[in-house]
């Protein structure tokens, strides 16, 4: 039986020797490469925390001691060590989540996968436990990339006031988030990591252990070095201690014995302490180690021997954005790209390569990105803030009070808008339209295909009257959808440079049905329309907030209006159209299809759409029911 097969829970780890633990770490890495290559998932981060996670579960007693993983994509090893060893359906419906999940295990606490939150969680738990006399430890594991988020520093600021509590913060420092970590914090940690004193401390510690006959390769704990009188090997670390929080490290994050030594010492303090562990993202897997872009942060299905994708990525929405924003920037010097630790995933790499001074990565700090963009717009630039749709939630206040209130010409581009699926509840980009439709003056566009995407992006970046937002989904782009005719545009509120809404499908005679489709749901609307009787019209508004008067007029003359959107039904485009129709005196029934107000479990996008009834047959069936009800009501009225 392999060492991994022997693990049914953390308890088995405590009975293993140092040699067995090294063997276990190797088996875990092999298992991760073999399994994740078949399903896709976050490979690089987990390869980097194997020894760290083993040491945590050796020194602490989960779930009695609570371990919180910030940005939980680094929790695969934790899952294995807590008895979850079937990765055959990882991130698939019915299989393990790609993040911690309370439904899976009592060892999991925080399910959301938005970064920089773990320290706040840990502080909250620790405060209440301490007040109740609970002696359990609370451990927050946070990456150096997540430390670029302001929320982490807000928590660090208040943690210093709760001395005496059993709170331990492990900084998993691999010098990267997706790409290399940026900013002053990164420079500071890099200076600590490369300080010659670190190597002297490491060598001194090994000699001390060897002379005392102690096993393992263990780094010298610099903080305790003062007590030993070895001041010449102390690694200077003013940052955290200035905040009033004890610090120890750096420690080799791939040396289990060294980590255990650091954790054991930390438990002696009885007050909050930071342990600085140096790790390597993608450790032990050559293709990941050689990947300078993101160390295989997240992969699809790959060949485990080479790391090459089984199915090469198709030309998708992000690629179109990358091409078009570069073309726009070449002719408009005002364009400045801004992103939050996701320069390559959102498509800014080509722009940065050609114009290195015109792309700014602020780290995992969406609030700063949007707030800074407002200032840049005031100074004469036209910032383009590109983030995943789910992460804009974190900067809503800045969109509202910094950008919109000041009518700042900022364009926000939301990648992976709508249902994304595999990464679960926290990654579906389903909240943006409902949230942002509340923002006065913000105009929202949703392209249906490549051609409309390029056009809408150009219209958004050329509009100087206030903020604009362009949202688009994850994955490949479908075929071009030609317009049959155009309606009139609201030139009084949005300038004359914006193309009018377009009718993309018309057919039949009889009851009049108008389908108003938002962005990526236009193909679904056309497919649905072909299943419906009567005179059916499908219109693509392009700019969905505010809706053009011509769209409201077209809908107002129909017998039934159907809206389809890849976002929340509550507060979405359908809700807005219903209000506009009522305000204009059109008493037309409106049936809205979209995403209900609930968190969606992880599954493929196709499976989620089927579950929600967002397929052409299901929508057509529901529409026919509404038509029959309307016809029955009409007969009663007669």
């Amino acid at each position: 039986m392999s060492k991994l097969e022997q693990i049914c829970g953390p308890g088995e780890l405590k009975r293993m020797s140092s040699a067995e633990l090294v063997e276990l770490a190797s088996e875990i890495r092999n298992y991760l490469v073999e399994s994740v290559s078949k399903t896709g998932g976050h490979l690089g981060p987990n390869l980097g925390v194997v020894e760290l996670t083993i040491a945590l579960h050796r020194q602490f007693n989960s779930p009695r001691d609570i371990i919180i993983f910030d940005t939980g994509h680094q929790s695969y090893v934790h899952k294995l060590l807590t008895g979850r060893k079937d990765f055959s359906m990882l991130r698939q419906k019915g299989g393990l989540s790609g993040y911690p999940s309370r439904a899976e295990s009592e060892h999991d606490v925080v399910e959301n996968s938005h970064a920089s939150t773990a320290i706040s969680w840990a502080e909250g738990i620790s405060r209440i436990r301490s007040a109740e006399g609970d002696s359990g430890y609370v451990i927050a594991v946070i990456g150096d990339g997540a430390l670029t988020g302001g929320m982490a520093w807000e928590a660090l600021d208040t943690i210093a006031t709760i001395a005496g509590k059993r709170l331990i913060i492990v900084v998993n420092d691999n010098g990267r988030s997706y790409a290399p970590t940026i900013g002053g914090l990164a420079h500071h940690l890099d200076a600590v990591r490369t300080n010659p004193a670190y190597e002297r401390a490491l060598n001194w510690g090994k000699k001390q252990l060897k002379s005392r006959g102690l096993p393992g390769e263990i780094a010298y704990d610099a903080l305790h070095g003062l007590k030993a009188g070895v001041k010449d090997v102390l690694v200077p670390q003013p940052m955290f201690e200035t905040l009033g929080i004890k610090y120890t490290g750096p420690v080799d994050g791939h040396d289990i014995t060294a980590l255990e030594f650091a954790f054991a010492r930390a438990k002696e303090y009885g007050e909050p302490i930071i342990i600085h562990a140096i790790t390597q993202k993608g450790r032990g897997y050559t293709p990941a180690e050689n990947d300078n872009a993101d160390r295989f942060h997240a992969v699809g299905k790959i060949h485990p021997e080479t790391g090459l994708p089984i199915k090469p990525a198709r030309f998708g929405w992000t690629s179109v954005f990358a091409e078009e924003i570069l073309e726009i920037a070449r002719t408009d010097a005002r364009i400045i790209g801004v992103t939050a630790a996701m320069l390559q995933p959102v498509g800014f790499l080509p722009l940065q390569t050609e114009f290195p001074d015109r792309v700014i990565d602020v780290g995992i700090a969406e609030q700063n990105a949007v707030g800074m963009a407002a200032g840049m717009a005031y100074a004469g630039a036209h910032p383009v803030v590109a983030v995943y749709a789910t992460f804009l939630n974190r900067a809503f206040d800045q969109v509202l009070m910094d950008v919109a209130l000041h009518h700042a010409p900022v364009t926000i581009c939301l990648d992976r808008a709508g249902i994304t699926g595999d990464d679960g509840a926290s990654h579906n980009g389903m909240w943006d339209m409902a949230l942002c439709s509340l923002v006065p003056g913000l105009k929202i566009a949703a392209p249906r295909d490549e051609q409309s995407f390029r056009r809408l992006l150009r219209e958004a970046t050329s509009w100087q009257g206030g903020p604009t937002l362009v949202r688009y989904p994850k994955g490949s782009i479908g075929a071009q959808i030609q317009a049959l005719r155009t309606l009139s545009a609201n030139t009084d509120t949005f300038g004359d440079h914006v193309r009018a809404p377009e009718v993309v499908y018309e057919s039949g005679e009889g009851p009049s049905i108008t389908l108003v489709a938002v962005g990526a749901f236009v193909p679904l609307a056309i497919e649905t329309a072909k299943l419906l009787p009567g005179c059916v019209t499908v219109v693509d508004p392009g700019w969905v907030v505010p809706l053009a008067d011509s769209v409201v007029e077209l809908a107002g003359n129909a017998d039934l209006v159907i809206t389809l959107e890849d976002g929340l039904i509550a507060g979405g485009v359908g809700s807005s159209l219903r209000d506009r129709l009522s305000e204009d005196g059109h008493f037309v029934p409106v049936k809205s299809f979209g995403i209900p107000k609930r968190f969606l479990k992880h599954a493929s996008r196709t499976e989620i759409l089927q579950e929600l009834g967002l397929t052409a047959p299901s929508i057509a069936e529901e529409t026919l029911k509404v038509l029959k009800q309307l016809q029955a009501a009409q007969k009663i009225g007669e």
Side-chain angles (χ1 to χ4, degrees):
M1 181 182 293
S2 70
K3 296 294 181 270
L4 182 56
E5 289 173 334
Q6 296 175 28
I7 302 295
C8 296
E12 281 81 4
L13 290 170
K14 301 180 188 296
R15 294 188 286 272
M16 288 186 171
S17 66
S18 295
E20 288 176 318
L21 293 174
V22 172
E23 185 178 347
L24 173 64
S26 177
E27 289 181 7
I28 288 174
R29 283 198 170 87
N30 291 336
Y31 180 85
L32 288 175
V33 172
E34 180 182 352
S35 59
V36 177
S37 66
K38 296 175 182 176
T39 62
H42 289 94
L43 183 56
N46 288 284
L47 292 173
V49 297
V50 176
E51 291 84 3
L52 176 59
T53 310
I54 290 174
L56 282 168
H57 279 294
R58 288 257 300 175
Q59 278 295 312
F60 299 98
N61 298 306
S62 177
R64 173 72 177 81
D65 296 324
I66 295 175
I67 304 173
I68 300 171
F69 290 90
D70 197 282
T71 318
H73 58 238
Q74 60 182 322
S75 64
Y76 291 8
V77 184
H78 167 74
K79 288 176 185 276
L80 289 171
L81 298 180
T82 52
R84 288 166 280 176
K85 291 183 284 189
D86 182 4
F87 276 39
S88 62
M89 295 184 65
L90 178 68
R91 301 169 66 247
Q92 298 173 36
K93 186 176 183 179
L96 291 178
S97 167
Y99 298 93
S101 168
R102 292 181 181 179
E104 289 179 7
S105 174
E106 63 180 344
H107 296 277
D108 292 0
V109 175
V110 181
E111 299 188 2
N112 92 63
S113 53
H114 286 189
S116 311
T117 65
I119 303 178
S120 295
W121 270 88
E123 179 186 1
I125 295 170
S126 181
R127 283 180 181 271
I128 300 304
R129 280 186 143 196
S130 179
E132 295 177 349
D134 193 318
S135 60
Y137 291 95
V138 183
I139 306 97
V141 182
I142 183 168
D144 59 304
L147 275 181
T148 61
M151 185 175 174
W153 290 92
E154 292 173 24
L156 287 171
D157 183 54
T158 56
I159 277 175
T161 67
I162 60 170
K165 309 306 182 287
R166 295 191 166 195
L167 173 60
I168 297 172
I169 301 165
V170 179
V171 176
N172 172 28
D173 180 8
N174 59 27
R176 309 180 74 87
S177 47
Y178 280 83
T181 308
I182 54 84
L185 173 65
H187 295 154
H188 177 83
L189 293 179
D190 186 59
V192 173
R193 195 186 307 115
T194 58
N195 193 315
Y198 172 42
E199 288 298 322
R200 293 199 302 271
L202 185 67
N203 293 331
W204 184 91
K206 290 177 179 180
K207 289 179 181 178
Q208 293 299 309
L209 289 172
K210 185 176 180 180
S211 66
R212 298 173 189 178
L214 296 178
E217 295 293 322
I218 187 164
Y220 169 66
D221 184 312
L223 186 61
H224 283 72
L226 276 176
K227 297 179 180 178
V230 191
K231 297 183 180 180
D232 61 318
V233 298
L234 178 66
V235 179
Q237 181 44 253
M239 177 183 289
F240 298 109
E241 301 232 1
T242 301
L243 292 174
I245 305 173
K246 296 296 184 182
Y247 167 95
T248 183
V251 60
D252 184 348
H254 299 295
D255 185 329
I256 296 173
T257 310
L259 289 163
E260 286 197 64
F261 181 83
F263 295 153
R265 285 286 182 87
K267 290 159 71 172
E268 297 175 2
Y269 284 108
E271 59 184 281
I273 184 170
I274 290 174
I275 299 173
H276 183 188
I278 308 298
T279 63
Q280 180 186 11
K281 192 173 183 177
R283 173 89 169 196
Y285 183 44
T286 301
E289 292 179 348
N290 293 337
D291 178 32
N292 292 325
D294 64 5
R295 298 287 197 271
F296 278 34
H297 177 85
V299 297
K301 296 179 181 181
I302 61 174
H303 294 284
E305 301 83 6
T306 63
L308 295 175
I310 291 176
K311 291 184 178 180
R314 297 177 61 189
F315 191 65
W317 293 92
T318 306
S319 298
V320 173
F321 170 79
E323 285 186 358
E324 194 63 24
I325 199 63
L326 176 58
E327 288 297 323
I328 294 170
R330 284 170 175 162
T331 58
D332 187 347
R334 298 173 305 172
I335 299 297
I336 304 291
V338 181
T339 191
M342 306 185 80
L343 185 143
Q344 183 165 331
V346 299
F348 268 146
L349 185 58
L351 181 62
Q352 187 202 48
T353 300
E354 187 163 332
F355 300 107
D357 296 332
R358 292 172 61 185
V359 176
I360 301 170
D361 184 349
V362 300
I364 302 178
E366 291 82 3
Q367 289 179 285
N368 182 35
V370 177
M372 182 181 67
M376 295 171 73
Y378 176 77
H382 190 116
V384 177
V385 180
V387 295
Y388 285 5
T390 181
F391 297 139
L392 185 69
N393 306 350
R394 298 155 63 100
F396 178 75
D397 184 63
Q398 286 66 42
V399 173
L400 181 66
M401 292 299 175
D402 293 299
V403 172
L405 177 63
H406 298 90
H407 310 288
V410 173
T411 295
I412 300 169
C413 292
L414 299 185
D415 200 326
R416 289 156 172 76
I419 296 170
T420 54
D422 298 336
D423 283 326
S426 61
H427 268 53
N428 287 306
M430 53 190 274
W431 317 98
D432 58 291
M433 285 192 293
L435 280 172
C436 292
S437 64
L438 299 172
V439 178
L442 176 64
K443 305 182 189 305
I444 303 175
R448 66 176 183 263
D449 55 23
E450 179 183 342
Q451 185 178 26
S452 65
F453 187 12
R454 294 181 187 274
R455 170 174 56 82
L456 289 169
L457 185 58
R458 285 185 175 273
E459 292 174 356
T461 54
S462 64
W463 175 245
Q464 291 300 107
T468 54
L469 185 152
V470 184
R471 70 186 308 268
Y472 42 96
K474 177 182 180 180
S476 58
I477 297 182
Q480 294 291 121
I481 300 173
Q482 298 300 322
L484 302 180
R485 59 188 176 93
T486 60
L487 306 178
S488 59
N490 285 10
T491 57
D492 57 330
T493 60
F494 205 176
D496 58 6
H497 69 290
V498 175
R499 187 177 300 183
E502 297 175 328
V503 172
V504 294
Y505 179 88
E506 287 181 307
S507 72
E509 297 179 353
S512 173
I513 305 174
T514 295
L515 278 73
V516 180
V518 174
F521 268 16
V522 170
L524 175 61
I526 294 174
E527 187 180 353
T528 301
K530 293 177 180 178
L531 302 176
L532 295 175
C535 179
V536 184
T537 302
V538 177
V539 60
D540 170 19
W543 288 96
V544 296
V545 176
L547 284 168
D549 294 340
S550 56
V551 173
V552 179
E553 182 180 354
L554 178 69
N557 292 324
D559 297 313
L560 173 64
V561 175
I562 303 295
T563 65
L564 287 79
E565 54 193 302
D566 196 3
L568 288 182
I569 298 173
V573 175
S575 176
S576 175
L577 177 57
R578 188 179 293 106
D579 291 344
R580 286 284 305 278
L581 287 168
S582 177
E583 292 169 2
D584 291 356
H586 297 294
F587 301 102
V588 182
V590 178
K591 174 68 174 177
S592 295
F593 293 89
I595 304 173
K597 191 164 55 176
R598 73 169 193 255
F599 295 110
L600 305 177
K601 295 182 179 179
H602 67 276
S604 70
R605 174 180 167 84
T606 299
E607 288 171 331
I608 293 175
L609 291 174
Q610 291 175 341
E611 179 186 338
L612 299 180
L614 296 175
T615 65
S618 296
I619 296 171
E621 182 179 356
E622 290 298 314
T623 301
L624 290 173
K625 288 180 182 179
V626 175
L627 279 175
K628 289 180 181 179
Q629 293 171 354
L630 292 174
Q631 291 168 351
Q634 186 177 14
K635 289 182 180 179
I636 293 174
E638 293 173 351

